[in-house]
Amino acid sequence: MKKVSKNVAKARKAVEPKPYVLPEAVTLLQKVKFAKFDETVEVTLRLGVDPKHADQMVRGTVVLPHGLGKTKRFW
C-alpha cells in the first residue's frame, strides 16, 4: 500500500465515497483544503442528454473570476 501524507489521510477520512449535491460539495471542499496554493477540483455532471442529437449538444465556456493568470498574446 502506498504511503500518503497526513493531509491526504485527513481529507480522505472527511470525504465519503458518495455523490454530493453542489452546495454540500462546496462546503466540504472548503473544509478539507490543506494546500498553500489554489487547488484544482474536478466536477462530473450527469446531464441526461443524448449527444447524438444535434439539438442536445452540450458545449460551453466558463469565465474564471480571476482569469488564468496569463495574458493572451496574439501573433
Side-chain angles (χ1 to χ4, degrees), residues 49-57:
V49 297
D50 188 5
K52 294 177 185 171
H53 299 288
D55 62 337
Q56 293 185 8
M57 290 296 256

Side-chain angles (χ1 to χ4, degrees), residues 15-36:
V15 177
E16 298 174 20
K18 67 171 185 133
Y20 288 95
V21 293
L22 193 58
E24 185 181 347
V26 171
T27 57
L28 183 63
L29 282 170
Q30 291 171 346
K31 194 167 59 172
V32 296
K33 61 180 181 177
F34 297 107
K36 295 179 182 176

Side-chain angles (χ1 to χ4, degrees), residues 51-70:
K52 294 177 185 171
H53 299 288
D55 62 337
Q56 293 185 8
M57 290 296 256
V58 179
R59 291 185 182 173
T61 59
V62 176
V63 179
L64 300 175
H66 299 290
L68 294 174
K70 298 180 180 180

